[in-house]
């Protein structure tokens, strides 16, 4: 009973110190700790749904992913309508070498959902992530998240044109 107040104060001080250490550790893992070097960026293109396609029409969807100037594509699917799911479950890997910190901090991952054509692919939806937003996440990963796609080239650029489920990890 005597000195009980002191024990509580010591416990609070210990808890505060532990919290400060956790914050410092998190800051060490922040974007400031991105260093020049080799990286592996893994993009898993999972599924697309609610495609904005006129009733009775179909598209052949394909996904283009661009990261730090390099482009990769999923396979094109055939005849998906506005009520169908487009399922890829494809892994795309980018392995930039000796990347400068400035380039990483300004880097983006651009995702384009397109209708595969004979001569030109038509844009259905677009979304982009900056590398910082992925790196700052726990485990440097975005797991099984739906991206709301829109078409910036259309007259209704704010209209939702599709939902695309993705996972992205950034490793060194």
């Amino acid at each position: 009973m005597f000195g009980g107040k002191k024990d509580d104060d010591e416990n609070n001080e210990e808890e505060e110190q532990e919290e400060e250490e956790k914050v410092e550790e998190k800051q060490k893992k922040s974007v400031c700790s991105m260093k020049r070097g080799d990286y592996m960026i893994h993009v898993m293109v999972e599924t697309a749904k609610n495609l904005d396609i006129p009733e009775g029409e179909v598209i052949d969807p394909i996904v283009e992913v661009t990261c730090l100037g390099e482009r990769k594509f999923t396979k094109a699917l055939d005849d998906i309508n506005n009520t169908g799911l487009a399922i890829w479950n494809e892994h795309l890997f980018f392995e930039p070498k000796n990347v400068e910190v400035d380039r990483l901090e300004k880097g983006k991952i651009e995702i384009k959902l397109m209708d595969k054509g004979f001569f030109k692919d038509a844009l259905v939806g677009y979304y982009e992530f900056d590398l910082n937003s992925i790196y700052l996440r726990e485990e440097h990963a975005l797991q099984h998240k739906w991206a709301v796609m829109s078409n910036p080239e259309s007259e209704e650029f704010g209209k939702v044109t599709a939902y695309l489920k993705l996972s992205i990890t950034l490793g060194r």
Side-chain angles (χ1 to χ4, degrees):
M1 187 145 219
F2 295 106
K5 175 96 170 124
K6 188 175 183 181
D7 287 341
D8 287 342
D9 287 344
E10 286 176 6
N11 287 339
N12 286 340
E13 286 176 20
E14 287 176 16
E15 288 174 10
E16 286 176 17
Q17 187 175 0
E18 286 177 20
E19 284 299 316
E20 286 176 20
E21 288 172 3
K22 286 180 185 177
V23 168
E24 286 176 16
E25 188 174 325
K26 211 170 204 178
Q27 286 175 344
K28 287 178 186 175
K29 292 180 181 178
S30 75
V31 72
C32 297
S33 65
M34 290 179 83
K35 294 180 175 61
R36 176 182 173 168
D38 300 344
Y39 283 81
M40 176 173 290
I41 300 161
H42 171 218
V43 178
M44 181 180 179
V45 179
E46 299 180 35
T47 306
K49 67 178 183 179
N50 297 355
L51 302 173
D52 185 34
I53 304 166
E55 189 75 32
E57 292 186 24
V58 295
I59 66 168
D60 300 330
I62 187 170
V63 177
E64 174 187 323
V65 180
T66 305
C67 182
L68 297 174
E70 185 179 357
R71 289 187 333 171
K72 299 205 177 203
F73 297 87
T74 63
K75 67 180 179 243
L77 302 178
D78 293 325
D79 301 332
I80 303 295
N81 63 22
N82 63 344
T83 60
L85 284 178
I87 301 171
W88 288 277
N89 288 329
E90 284 190 44
H91 300 269
L92 303 174
F93 294 93
F94 299 87
E95 298 182 59
K97 304 289 184 203
N98 200 22
V99 184
E100 296 289 335
V101 174
D102 189 46
R103 188 168 175 223
L104 286 169
E105 290 175 348
K106 293 178 182 174
K108 299 205 178 300
I109 299 173
E110 296 179 339
I111 313 287
K112 292 181 181 178
L113 176 62
M114 299 179 295
D115 180 10
K116 183 80 173 137
F118 285 112
F119 299 107
K120 186 178 180 198
D121 301 336
L123 183 64
V124 174
Y126 177 86
Y127 197 89
E128 71 180 35
F129 299 91
D130 62 285
L131 293 177
N132 285 339
S133 68
I134 305 298
Y135 192 82
L136 288 173
R137 297 181 68 86
E138 189 173 329
E139 304 287 325
H140 309 302
L142 178 78
Q143 304 255 337
H144 313 294
K145 299 293 182 191
W146 289 100
V148 179
M149 311 285 285
S150 63
N151 185 346
E153 297 174 356
S154 75
E155 290 178 14
E156 298 179 77
F157 57 85
K159 181 180 177 185
V160 175
T161 56
Y163 294 90
L164 184 65
K165 191 174 189 182
L166 302 158
S167 293
I168 302 172
T169 56
L170 174 60
R172 230 185 106 138

